[in-house]
């Protein structure tokens, strides 16, 4: 199954730029299927929700785009490039777990990102950390789990990347923190960037999405613009329940 | 990028190893000062009046000496363990999510790890040597007579041994030995890194256990072939010097081929077969 996401309200001469493309992507973990013959083509400049229940293949897809997992078959390209060093320069990935060295101080982590990512905006990161009242001299291990996750989000969103991959950024946090996270994502994304947010908390992210992808058992179920769903008088959350109930 | 990678790699190990280096050097200085005090001050003083104090002093000196030796062994083991641990954590734990999303090639990642191993093993050897020099310095100041005697003994042994070794010591042979030593070191490091990589690829659910098992298994296989190679070298050595040298060079070439094979295998696993959970 494949899908091309439509772009609405654009000039007639507009030629959509495909930023991310997956062709017949399959990932098997031994006998378990992570992703099965998954094909999709995503245009740049949108916030796209990667929606599905737990174990549907959302994380697997994001990991393959980030270069953490190798596909069993098929191909993924970002900005026309196969996954590798060049795509890692333009993809900013937030995994579902803490990957930073807990013994490092915040300021060291900022230097680390500045050293390795040419698109990292240290000043923006420092501003966001200040708004969180996080002391730069603090070691990561001294921060609470929630604050550590926020620091990680700040680092990822401080990159002026072309593609942001956010894996369950609002899972397991309180409603206030969710607000902060969504606000951080919206206000700090690079212009014309594409954000792919994976979540099963659809109602919370729906308001910020331009498009969405429904995924189940490693297969693409549906890919649409949020506006077209709203035109039919439904919310994405309602549509999700409807679609998943039928299966 | 290599330099930047090295900077963070060295920093990660240094936070544990550097304090140990400092403690070791301080202990060596303490011991050295003890020798100077003992030889220059107490030795010339009327020791009989302070026999009790002198005994305590000598006891402390022995304890520091034992402590220093333990510290020296601990430092060398810890450095090795730390470097190996870094390799494991930065590639195969959650930290791998950061490592493998950095815009670095697999070659760069691997070169950083190999260079880091080289750097730290060299540093710990250097610190051990400095510590030993500090202690010998203390002994030579505290007990110049004893030191002179030891030095003249060494000189005598060298004078006796040199004519016997005249045919053995050649610049080409020394160069060959140094090259062989470096290659052997790189080979051992690569073998260890490869074992961990292989173990982590096979045992996805319990990577640490997999890595440890793999180290033992690969090392056993290597030891078998290595002892076989050493036996062949000994046989050639008995035939003639030239035959020994040729066999030695062939051994080096095999090691280099081994390094290349291990490197390619690791690169292949990291690029194509590694799946972080």
């Amino acid at each position: 199954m494949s899908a091309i996401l439509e772009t609405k309200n654009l000039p007639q001469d507009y030629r959509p730029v495909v930023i991310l493309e997956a062709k017949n992507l399959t990932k098997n973990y031994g006998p378990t299927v992570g992703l099965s013959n998954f094909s999709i083509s995503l245009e740049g400049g949108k916030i796209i929700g990667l929606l599905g229940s737990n174990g549907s293949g959302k994380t697997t897809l994001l990991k393959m785009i980030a270069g953490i997992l190798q596909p069993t078959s098929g191909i993924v390209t970002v900005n026309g490039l196969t996954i590798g060093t060049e795509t890692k320069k333009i993809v900013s990935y937030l995994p579902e777990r803490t990957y930073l060295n807990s013994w490092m101080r915040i300021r060291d982590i900022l230097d680390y990102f500045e050293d390795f990512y040419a698109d990292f905006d240290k000043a923006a990161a420092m501003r966001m950390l200040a708004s969180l009242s996080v002391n730069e001299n603090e070691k990561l291990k001294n921060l609470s789990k929630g604050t550590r996750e926020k620091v990680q989000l700040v680092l990822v969103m401080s990159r002026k990347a072309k593609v942001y991959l956010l894996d369950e950024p609002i899972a397991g946090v309180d409603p206030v923190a969710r607000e902060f996270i969504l606000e951080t994502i919206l206000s700090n994304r690079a212009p014309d960037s594409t954000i792919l947010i994976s979540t099963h908390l659809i109602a919370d992210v729906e308001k910020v999405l331009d498009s969405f992808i429904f995924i189940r058992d490693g297969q693409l179920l549906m890919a649409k613009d949020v506006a077209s769903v709203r035109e039919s008088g439904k919310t994405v959350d309602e549509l999700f329940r409807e679609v998943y109930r039928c299966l | 990028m290599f330099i930047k990678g090295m900077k963070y790699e060295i920093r990660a190990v240094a936070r544990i190893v550097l304090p140990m280096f400092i403690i070791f050097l301080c202990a060596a200085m303490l011991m050295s000062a003890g020798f100077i005090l003992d030889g220059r001050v107490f030795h010339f003083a009327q020791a009989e009046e302070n026999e009790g104090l002198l005994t305590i002093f000598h006891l402390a000196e022995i304890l520091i000496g034992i402590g220093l030796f333990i510290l020296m062994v601990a430092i060398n083991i810890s450095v090795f363990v730390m470097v190996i641990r870094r390799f494991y954590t930065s590639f195969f734990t959650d930290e791998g999510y950061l490592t493998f999303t950095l815009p670095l090639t697999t070659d760069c990642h691997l070169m950083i790890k190999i260079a880091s191993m080289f750097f730290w093993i060299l540093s710990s050897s250097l610190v051990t040597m400095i510590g030993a020099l500090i202690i010998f310095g203390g002994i030579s100041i505290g007990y110049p007579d004893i030191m002179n005697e030891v030095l003249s003994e060494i000189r005598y042994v060298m004078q006796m041994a040199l004519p016997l070794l005249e045919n053995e010591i050649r610049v080409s042979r020394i160069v060959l030995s140094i090259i062989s030593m470096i290659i052997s070191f790189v080979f051992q490091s690569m073998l260890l890194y490869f074992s961990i990589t292989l173990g982590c690829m096979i045992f996805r659910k319990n990577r640490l256990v997999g890595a440890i098992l793999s180290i033992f298994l690969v090392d056993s296989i290597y030891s078998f072939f290595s002892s076989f190679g050493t036996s062949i070298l000994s046989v050639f050595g008995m035939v003639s010097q030239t035959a020994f040298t040729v066999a030695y060079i062939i051994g080096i070439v095999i090691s280099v081929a081994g390094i290349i094979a291990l490197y390619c295998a690791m690169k292949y696993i990291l690029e194509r077969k590694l799946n972080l959970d």
Side-chain angles (χ1 to χ4, degrees):
Chain A
M1 200 182 287
S2 70
I4 308 276
L5 293 178
E6 296 160 18
T7 306
K8 303 268 176 170
N9 307 321
L10 288 168
Q12 276 190 332
D13 60 344
Y14 176 80
R15 291 279 174 276
V17 178
V18 173
I19 188 76
L20 206 153
E21 197 164 25
K23 281 181 190 167
N24 306 319
L25 206 56
T26 298
K27 179 68 194 175
N28 296 329
Y29 301 99
T32 313
V33 177
L35 216 58
S36 174
N37 211 25
F38 188 97
S39 297
I40 199 156
S41 184
L42 302 179
E43 291 165 14
K46 286 187 167 188
I47 302 182
I48 303 152
L50 184 60
L51 314 174
S53 49
N54 291 328
S56 56
K58 304 187 295 289
T59 300
T60 300
L61 177 64
L62 293 185
K63 279 184 183 177
M64 282 199 274
I65 301 167
I68 300 285
L69 277 185
Q70 305 306 319
T72 307
S73 63
I75 191 165
V76 197
T77 57
V78 175
N79 211 22
L81 304 160
T82 49
I83 305 303
T85 315
E86 289 308 308
T87 61
K88 287 170 186 176
K89 286 179 185 171
I90 55 170
V91 173
S92 191
Y93 171 54
L94 178 78
E96 56 190 333
R97 56 187 77 192
T98 310
Y99 60 31
L100 300 168
N101 282 313
S102 58
W103 53 266
M104 281 178 109
R105 290 179 195 282
I106 303 291
R107 62 161 191 265
D108 298 330
I109 298 170
L110 291 174
D111 291 340
Y112 188 91
F113 267 66
E114 195 181 29
D115 270 344
F116 286 109
Y117 298 111
D119 59 4
F120 184 68
D121 185 348
K122 193 178 175 184
M126 285 166 77
R127 271 198 308 276
M128 280 188 261
L129 289 172
S131 74
L132 276 171
S133 307
V134 174
N135 184 351
E136 279 176 44
N137 294 316
E138 199 73 71
K139 281 186 179 176
L140 207 67
K141 65 180 175 191
N142 296 334
L143 303 177
S144 68
K145 186 174 174 279
T147 310
R148 275 205 299 265
E149 284 171 359
K150 283 177 194 162
V151 168
Q152 205 159 281
L153 177 75
V154 164
L155 292 167
V156 168
M157 294 312 298
S158 297
R159 284 184 61 194
K160 300 297 166 214
K162 282 200 169 188
V163 177
Y164 296 92
L165 306 172
L166 311 177
D167 196 359
E168 301 281 3
I170 55 167
V173 294
D174 60 73
V176 180
R178 280 180 204 172
E179 285 292 319
F180 169 82
I181 290 166
L182 292 175
E183 176 58 30
T184 307
I185 292 168
L186 288 178
S187 55
N188 293 287
R189 62 181 290 210
D192 304 325
S193 62
T194 300
I195 303 180
L196 198 55
I197 307 178
S198 98
T199 186
H200 55 275
L201 303 166
I202 300 158
D204 289 290
V205 294
E206 176 163 0
K207 59 189 173 198
V208 305
L209 300 180
D210 295 313
S211 320
F212 66 88
I213 298 164
F214 283 171
I215 183 170
R216 187 188 160 114
D217 296 332
Q219 291 190 317
L220 180 72
L221 286 184
M222 188 185 284
K224 273 188 174 179
D225 273 351
V226 172
S228 67
V229 176
R230 283 190 191 133
E231 274 168 20
S232 65
K234 285 180 191 164
T235 64
V236 178
D237 192 31
E238 283 166 352
L239 182 68
F240 180 82
R241 287 167 201 272
E242 208 176 282
V243 169
Y244 278 71
R245 206 178 291 134
C246 293
L247 295 166
Chain B
M1 281 295 182
F2 174 79
I3 302 288
K4 285 175 184 172
M6 273 303 282
K7 182 175 89 176
Y8 288 100
E9 194 64 29
I10 286 171
R11 202 182 277 179
V13 179
R15 75 196 171 91
I16 307 266
V17 170
L18 267 191
M20 290 177 87
F21 281 177
I22 293 167
I23 292 169
F24 173 72
L25 290 176
C26 287
M29 279 191 261
L30 203 68
M31 185 141 191
S32 184
F35 282 127
I36 296 168
L37 270 177
D38 191 25
R40 290 276 166 167
V41 182
F42 300 147
H43 194 67
F44 297 109
Q46 292 303 314
E48 292 84 16
E49 293 169 18
N50 303 308
E51 205 175 327
L53 271 175
L54 211 57
T55 311
I56 292 168
F57 182 78
H58 284 149
L59 202 68
E61 228 172 24
I62 292 165
L63 284 176
I64 292 172
I66 294 167
L68 206 64
F69 178 75
I70 293 169
L71 202 61
M72 191 180 78
V73 175
I75 282 173
N76 285 286
I77 293 172
S78 326
V79 165
F80 189 67
V81 171
M82 277 297 293
V83 175
I84 296 297
R85 192 171 162 265
R86 271 296 301 161
F87 180 82
Y88 172 76
T89 53
S90 59
F91 282 168
F92 307 109
T93 62
D94 286 353
E95 214 186 303
Y97 280 75
L98 181 60
T99 308
F100 290 113
T101 46
L102 292 175
L104 299 181
T105 58
T106 312
D107 289 315
C108 192
H109 281 304
L110 286 174
M111 292 314 289
I112 288 168
K113 298 296 176 197
I114 296 164
S116 164
M117 170 82 96
F118 206 77
F119 174 85
W120 281 113
I121 299 288
L122 214 65
S123 300
S124 64
S125 309
L126 204 69
V127 169
T128 308
M129 267 161 53
I130 293 170
L133 279 175
I134 290 171
I135 294 167
F136 281 122
I139 296 171
S140 60
I141 296 169
Y143 310 99
D145 300 340
I146 297 173
M147 202 60 190
N148 285 336
E149 214 169 293
V150 170
L151 285 175
S152 66
E153 282 296 323
I154 292 171
R155 231 172 280 137
Y156 176 73
V157 170
M158 291 294 278
Q159 275 168 0
M160 295 290 285
L162 271 176
L164 296 171
L165 295 169
E166 209 168 12
N167 293 329
E168 301 289 323
I169 301 170
R170 285 189 206 130
V171 177
S172 59
R173 187 158 288 181
I174 292 169
V175 171
L176 203 65
S177 300
I178 292 169
I179 292 171
S180 165
M181 234 164 65
I182 293 169
I183 287 170
S184 166
F185 171 79
V186 176
F187 182 81
Q188 292 291 340
S189 311
M190 296 287 284
L191 198 70
L192 204 56
Y193 284 159
F194 169 74
S195 308
I196 296 169
T197 309
L198 187 71
C200 290
M201 182 194 75
I202 298 168
F203 295 85
R204 280 186 53 216
K205 293 290 168 203
N206 206 335
R207 290 203 151 117
L208 186 61
V209 174
I212 293 167
L213 279 177
S214 180
I215 288 172
F216 284 112
L217 189 73
V218 173
D219 190 59
S220 306
I221 295 168
Y222 168 71
S223 298
F224 172 76
F225 285 107
S226 170
S227 57
F228 186 65
T230 312
S231 309
I232 291 175
L233 208 61
S234 315
V235 172
F236 274 104
M238 278 185 261
V239 176
S240 76
Q241 271 306 319
T242 318
F244 178 81
T245 310
V246 170
Y248 197 70
I249 292 169
I250 290 171
I252 291 175
V253 172
I254 291 171
S255 295
V256 171
I259 289 169
I260 295 167
L262 289 170
Y263 184 88
C264 292
M266 262 198 295
K267 192 180 168 189
Y268 176 75
I269 294 171
L270 291 175
E271 279 181 357
R272 309 264 169 212
K273 293 287 169 196
L274 183 70
N275 292 307
L276 289 180
D277 289 324

